Structure formats: structure tokens, C-alpha cells
Amino acid sequence: MWKPDRTTKKPLYQQIVDYLERRISYGELPPGSLLPSERKLAEQLGVNRSTIIQAYEELRASGLVESTVGSGTRVSLTKWGIAPKHTPNWRSYTDGGTFLPNLPLMRRIREVLRNGEKLIDLASGELSPDLFPNSIIHTLLQQDPFQEYLGYDDPQGYYPLRSALTSFLLQHHNMNTTESSVLITSGSQQSLYLITQCLLSPGDAVAIEDPSYSYSLPMFQSAGLRIFRLPVYNNGIEPDDIVKLYRQHRIRMIFLNPNYHNPTGTTLDPAKRVQLLDIASKLGIPIVEDDPFSLTSFEGVPPVTLKSMDTDGLVLYIGSLSKIAASGLRIGWMIAPQSVVKRLSDARQQMDFGLSIVSQWLAERLLRSPQFDLHITKLRHALEQKQQLMVNALTDILRDKVTFTPPQGGLNLWCKINLKIDDSKLLEEAIKRGVVFVPGSVYGSEQGYVRLSFAKPHVDEIGAGIAGLAHALKRY
Amino acid sequence: MWKPDRTTKKPLYQQIVDYLERRISYGELPPGSLLPSERKLAEQLGVNRSTIIQAYEELRASGLVESTVGSGTRVSLTKWGIAPKHTPNWRSYTDGGTFLPNLPLMRRIREVLRNGEKLIDLASGELSPDLFPNSIIHTLLQQDPFQEYLGYDDPQGYYPLRSALTSFLLQHHNMNTTESSVLITSGSQQSLYLITQCLLSPGDAVAIEDPSYSYSLPMFQSAGLRIFRLPVYNNGIEPDDIVKLYRQHRIRMIFLNPNYHNPTGTTLDPAKRVQLLDIASKLGIPIVEDDPFSLTSFEGVPPVTLKSMDTDGLVLYIGSLSKIAASGLRIGWMIAPQSVVKRLSDARQQMDFGLSIVSQWLAERLLRSPQFDLHITKLRHALEQKQQLMVNALTDILRDKVTFTPPQGGLNLWCKINLKIDDSKLLEEAIKRGVVFVPGSVYGSEQGYVRLSFAKPHVDEIGAGIAGLAHALKRY
């Protein structure tokens, strides 16, 4: 976002006045809009609160904004002497809509991360910049001249990329598939979104792991689904629980993340996988296998995916480049029966008309690049090392205050805090100390758990991050 | 999609057998799946029907598929001698979902275009490959090393691109805006989708031009909106009609495409624009201004946008690169009040987590490139010439059988056929003669209209395309 320019002679408060005047006159802040509080704006722009106070005074003097005690500072209804008009009550629009906003805690975390520069980020489930395949991408863009067709793409996705994926999935997951069963999406998020919008109807019952990343996604509620929980144990869910849920609620779909599960890090036991597929097949319930992490396996042996064991076409397999290459590429995939791929690509065409050819073309080059395997190997080692650093810091600093089991892959460490805590209060305490994490309740777990991501922070930050968390815990 | 390889010695039917066996064994065609009819598969794979008959016989012999007269050919329930299992009834899933599939006519057109190679395409509202800025893009990718951050992007979009857009909109549309009021989307389609999902609730009444591109988008029905029609006259809609609709139905939003309207090509009269904004402002109803075409203005003078006249922040402005550069880039934008931008970017983050940094980075370079203005100028002239070619062909070949008014910009020609026709029947007749267009009924118009796009066909194809249409019309 915009920040004042400290290199010019123009005083900061004046720059802020001009900036807000511009936004008001351009209709971006219509008459009646509430401006941020002085404290908040100061935080956002990284200036002293006194600077904001001075800027707001200036704006009040010009009659452009009005402040009333309690209700804050608003854009005046009569601005530039123009007679007031009925601008739309935007509030009533933004508060409406069938699609629900993100959870307040998630929005809080993202807002803090967007504004605060010097925070240690144990919250974002993504790789640190040094782990992205920057140099490979750099080279690919320079060496291969781009000459693809720039018109509307096949709604299923760029064919050469789907073709590269069939080889990739065979090589890494021993998964047999053909181009026509691959749907390219902008990531696991969009794959899940398409499934909830197009294959399920309001009132349908679905089974989701407890805890699960899915609980942080209001998209399930937006689709009007009834969610039933499958408790996650040390070796994953209990397949028999599905039978119970089916008898009671006629669940229509099962959402699982069997490999280095987010947030707990557990991996579904091989014997249970066989049992699970057998039960799902007998009941005729599809399984959505969300598999973002399996290639991060520290030993280099990814768990056997459900899809590769699936002989009856009951698994919808979801993967992406976000956790193994770079989230900014926005490339994901779904492997599904043809009728499902057809239905979803038709809907997706209406929603966004598909992905950029350029990014799909680049992803295809990346997957086919001989450098990519090397990248994955480096990534695995780097993640293992980062996890070890976090484990050491936790053992040194927090000892018996926390309990955790380090997974053999993935980006996250799931910690039980052995103290009575309110996890959102703990988050605020941590933020004050320059550390951000995700409270377990975001994933539907009971109080007392936190998800610490070791992938995003720089190696030098991990220890300090845990120290900050320990500080925050001192309050208890 | 897959096609048999005519260069190998392996007989075509055998290649098809292997291909279908693979897809069946990979679960892509689960037991019970219906295979395409012999005629249809022959058409799709571009082989003789006899080849398909031979392939299906082979598959039946192996017990992999079963044919029953009337109900076609299906994948056997007992395959490879494995005992039958209850694979999910995928049909019941793909037929469900709140999000509606595309209109049958649109799916038919897209299917025909995907499979038939030698068709003349007067249906797709996009540019022909020779009009894309290929060389500029080629150069940009080679000369500027990509070094952007590859993590999750700001949900509003890549800042440098939003910044480039503020200059672009000021230069070409005299539109004042700031980075913080720009939301980057994957195109107008996604902008409309976000609005219908996040700002409107089921049962809300909205006003849409009649005819309109919007009627070809089931997304409005998917959102449960009540749609009321604003008839389009030679100089656009009648603003007073909005007052009537508001009194009767309390419409909450107005969707307009005022510049070279799709499909009719009409442009809203300047005086009516003033009147429209005044009425909308008095009633406090937001206007969605969909503006994909204005820069194609043949004279090089784009119509004045509603947004640039909007002093009250009541216009949500939608633009994209699809019709002025290349649809495959999937870059669009919305200019809106801050509260709206915030709400939509939050929702969008849940749906697809934003766009690829690579394509946004490229779009920013493209907009800032000194070559881009030159590209636009070339594009305008090329489109004017193509329209002229179509007009000539229509006048020569169809004379008094059609009536139309050539617009001064845009990609389409809206023709009234002066004969009693069923437009979907006419489409099938045209397809037989190698020509595809969009029947007017797709856009909600009465029978007897067709939308002919002159942008997509090559200059040499336009005459032949109209000749094919004339042939099809001979049936009447």
C-alpha cells in the first residue's frame, strides 16, 4: 500500500493530507466513509500518531472530513461545496452476499503481516523466498522464447501442462492418469472451491478431519454444507468413524489431507488407507484427497497417495506447486473422473475463464526441467533443517510448557501449550513481541493449540520467533 | 484433446482401444460410465465411424465395455474380473451444485469449436492471433529478467500493475484513481462473478440491458438474483426506465456495457449518461460499468466512461486486456470504492488466492511499454477493416435478408435476419457448412437475431463465413 516518501522535503503530514484528498476526490472514499483511527493509520503508514493527528486536523479545517467523539473521523457529506447526493449505502452491499468473508482471526493475521514489516512470520504456510526456484524460473523465462497461442485457453487447462503433469504424477506418485482427467486450477484453494460449488448442494453433509485447514475456509459454510468431524489421531483418522457418520447423516463426501496433515502433521497409516478406500467404495462416497505436502517428505519417500491406490475412480486428487515450488505461481491441479472434470471446467469458465497461458506455459517448463528434481531435494533438506531449528528452540526455551510430535514432512509444527490459554489473546501478546502464528482454534481445534510454520521464517529468525512466543506465554 | 497418431504403423482402431483401456483402468471412466456415441467419438477424434465401431467391438470382446441397444455403450461394472464395487454415482454429483452449468447453446458452440478444426469462427468474441501483441510480449519476457517475489500476492493484486493501471486509466480514459481502489481480476468475467457473489444476496433485484452478454452467463441465476430488463435502443438504454424498475422492484444494482455494447454495438448517448448518473445517484443505486471495448474506438476517441464522470463513487468500473491485447493473459481490473475492493479481495482470496505474479508482472510491463499505444492503434485499424469486410460481404451476399448498423468500435456486428428463423436451428445448419456464430437468443433477445464477430476470423475467412451463413439461410 501507499507509504509517505521520506526522501522529499514535503512534510509527512502534508503528504498524507494530499493522499487522502486524492482518494476522497476520486470517489474511492465516498461521502460518509469512515477513516481509520489515528492509531491504526499511524501503524499502517509507519509514522507517529502525532503526524496523523496533524493531517486529520488539516482535513477537518478544509471541511473535507468531520470528526465526532466516539464515532471517529468520516468523509464529509458536503464536500467541495457540492450539494450532498445519495451515494449508495456501500455498507449494506459489502455486508451482504452469499459468500462469507474470511474468519476475523485470519483477517487480523493477514492485516498484521501486510502492514508490520519487521514481524517474524510463523503463521503463513508457505516457503521462504530463498526456497523458491527463482533461478530456474529466471532461466526458463530468458531461454525459451514464448510463442504460445494467446487466445482463450481450453477450460481444462493448457494441454502441454496437463501432459507434463501426467509424467510428473507417474514419476513422483506412481499415479496413472491421462491429460483428459487433469483439470488445471489456480491452486488447491480453487479446486476445493469448485468442488463445494459444483458437486455439492446446500444441506449436503460432508466429513472433514478435526482439526483441519478446511475450518479456516468459510467456503464450506458459504456453500451451505453440513460439516461433520473425523477426529485425527496420531496415525490419522479412524475409517470406521466414516461408517458411523454415514449411518447418522448420509455424508456425501469426505475431505482428507492424509499426508503431513495440516495443521497436525500426522500421516494416515497405510493399513488405514486400504480400509478407508474399501469403506468409501462400499458406501459409494467420494474422497477428496488434498495433497499439497507429500513431496516435502524429509526422507524423500512420499507417502503412497490414496489416488494411486484407487481402482474405482472415487478419489478426487488435489495437488499444487504452492508448497513445493512457489505459491505466487498459482498453479494447482485436480485429477478426477471425466464427468467431474467436465462439470468443473464448465463452471470455472464462468467464474474466471481459466488461467493465464503465460503462467501455465512456465509451469510446464518448470515441471519438465531437469533442475526441478534437484530443487525438490534441496527443499526437503532445507525444510528438515528448519524444522530441527524450531524443535531445538522449543525444547531449549519452552521445554515442558509445550508438547509436539515433529512430522517427517510438511511445513508446520502443531504444538499443544500445557497452560490454560486463550489462543487469540496469546496471538495479540505475540504480535506485540513481533511474532505471528496461527491459533489452533482457526482449524477447529479446542483451545491450547498453536500452528507454528517453520517454512516461511528465515533460518536466523526461527529461534527469535520461539523466544517471542515464550515471552508472550510469560503472561500466563 | 487426444488424437490418434497417424504417423505410426499401429492401426487407428487399436490406438483408440488402448486409449480407452487406459482411461478406464485409471478410473477416469469409472464402471458404468457412458462412452460417447460412435458418431460423436468419430467426430471428436477425426476418424471414420467404422474405425470407432471396430474399436468398440474390440472393447466389448475384452469385456471391458457393454453395449445395449438404445442406452449406448458403457464401461462394464465387472472389469478385469474384479468384483463390482459401489463407485460413487458421479452423475448425482455433477448434476448437483448451486453453481449452474453454461447454457446448452454455449456449450454446443464451444464443443464444436474445440473439436472441428476447419470451422470459420464468427462466434468467439476475441481477437485473431495476428492481432495479439505477440512480439511485444516475446521481447518483454526475454529482455526484463524476472526477479519478483514468488510468495502469496497482495489479495488486491500486484502493486506495480495497479500502479501502471492508474496511469493507463488516466491517459486513455481521463480517469482519476489510486492503487488502493484497483482490484486485479482474471478478467471482466471474474469481476462480475465477485460482484454477484459478494455484494448481492439471493432475491435481490438487478437491472440488466436487454439484450445483454450477461444473459449468456448463468452466474446471475446461480446467485439467485431477480433480473429486470432495460431495453437497449439505438442510443442505448432509457434512464427513465430505471426509475420505473426501482419503484416496482427496488432494484439494487444496474449492470451496463455502455460503450460498443455487447451484442448490439450501440453506445450510450452522452446526454443520457449525465441523466443516468443523476438518477442512479438520487436513488443511491450503484452502476456496474463493464467496459471491455472502448479502446477499440475506430476513430481513436473512446467514449467518455461513466466512471470518469462519477463524482459520488457509485460506479464499479470493469476493464480488461482480453479485447484490447489478448484474452489468454487473463488480466482484468475493477475500480471501486475502498470498502468494496476490500470485501471482494477478501472473498477472492478464498476462491483462488489471486493471480500468478508472472502474468501480472508481464501485464505491468505491457501497459508501460511504449509499444502498447502503437499496438492499440494498429488494432483499431485492423478491426475497422475487418468490420468493413463483413459489412461488404453481408451487403453483397445477403442484401435485404439482413439489417444491421455497423458500430464505430467493438468486435461484433448485430444482425437482424429478415426471415422467420429458429436461431438454434440456423446455427446447426451453419455448422454443417463450416460456420459458427452466436444466436441472439443466447443474449436474451427475441428470435431472428445473430451476433457475428469479425475479430476472430482471419481477413480471408470473413467472406466465406458470410457465404456459409447465406447457404444455411437458403433452407428458409
Side-chain angles (χ1 to χ4, degrees), chain B residues 22 33 39 65 84 99 142 158 230 232 239 244 251 340 347 379 445:
Chain B
R22 246 192 345 270
S33 310
R39 190 194 50 68
V65 308
F99 196 78
Q142 298 266 304
Y158 180 58
L230 294 170
V232 174
K244 295 196 203 84
I251 53 168
V340 173
L379 175 64
S445 87

Side-chain angles (χ1 to χ4, degrees), chain B residues 257-276:
Chain B
N257 171 199
N259 312 315
Y260 314 125
H261 170 260
N262 184 2
T264 67
T266 54
T267 290
L268 183 62
D269 174 85
K272 282 183 169 185
R273 291 177 192 243
V274 179
Q275 198 189 349
L276 169 68

Side-chain angles (χ1 to χ4, degrees), chain A residues 159 163 166 170 175-181 307 310-311 313 335-336, chain B residues 1-5 10 12-30 35 45 59 62 64-65 75 79-80:
Chain A
Y159 189 89
S163 174
T166 57
L170 183 63
M175 195 184 297
N176 284 307
T177 185
T178 67
E179 290 78 6
S180 44
S181 57
K307 183 64 181 177
D310 169 32
T311 54
I335 315 302
Chain B
M1 67 174 291
W2 179 85
K3 301 260 181 199
D5 175 0
K10 195 176 198 182
L12 290 179
Y13 88 92
Q14 191 54 54
Q15 292 186 46
I16 295 167
V17 167
D18 297 349
Y19 167 66
L20 289 171
E21 277 189 1
R22 246 192 345 270
R23 295 177 61 191
I24 291 167
S25 66
Y26 298 168
E28 184 186 330
L29 295 166
L35 297 181
L45 301 182
L59 289 163
S62 71
L64 206 53
V65 308
V75 177
K79 61 172 212 251
W80 318 110

Side-chain angles (χ1 to χ4, degrees), chain A residues 399-416:
Chain A
R399 294 223 146 286
D400 46 5
K401 288 201 192 62
V402 291
T403 316
F404 58 87
T405 320
Q408 285 313 296
L411 279 50
N412 309 306
L413 205 56
W414 181 243
C415 287
K416 181 173 193 336

Side-chain angles (χ1 to χ4, degrees), chain A residues 23 28 86-87 90 93-94 96 99-100 102 150 178 180 189 193 252 281 312-313 328 338 343 346 350 352, chain B residues 23 28 86-87 90 93-94 96 99-100 102 150 178 180 189 193 252 281 312-313 328 338 343 346 350:
Chain A
R23 295 178 59 191
E28 182 186 332
H86 303 267
T87 46
W90 283 115
Y93 288 89
T94 53
F99 197 79
L100 302 170
N102 271 301
L150 277 169
T178 67
S180 44
Q189 195 101 333
Y193 181 61
R252 293 200 74 215
S281 172
D312 307 299
Q338 168 172 258
R343 171 71 164 104
D346 173 90
Q350 288 186 62
D352 62 19
Chain B
R23 295 177 61 191
E28 184 186 330
H86 304 265
T87 45
W90 285 115
Y93 288 91
T94 52
F99 196 78
L100 302 171
N102 271 301
L150 277 170
T178 68
S180 43
Q189 195 101 333
Y193 182 62
R252 294 199 71 215
S281 170
D312 307 300
Q338 170 171 257
R343 170 71 164 104
D346 173 90
Q350 287 187 64

Side-chain angles (χ1 to χ4, degrees), chain B residues 296-340:
Chain B
T296 63
S297 160
F298 296 162
E299 299 97 336
V301 197
V304 177
T305 63
L306 295 169
K307 183 65 181 176
S308 58
M309 301 166 65
D310 169 31
T311 53
D312 307 300
L314 50 80
V315 174
L316 306 181
Y317 179 84
I318 292 176
S320 94
L321 286 179
S322 298
K323 314 297 185 186
I324 57 171
S327 40
L329 294 173
R330 306 311 312 129
I331 294 288
W333 47 86
M334 188 182 335
I335 315 302
Q338 170 171 257
S339 56
V340 173

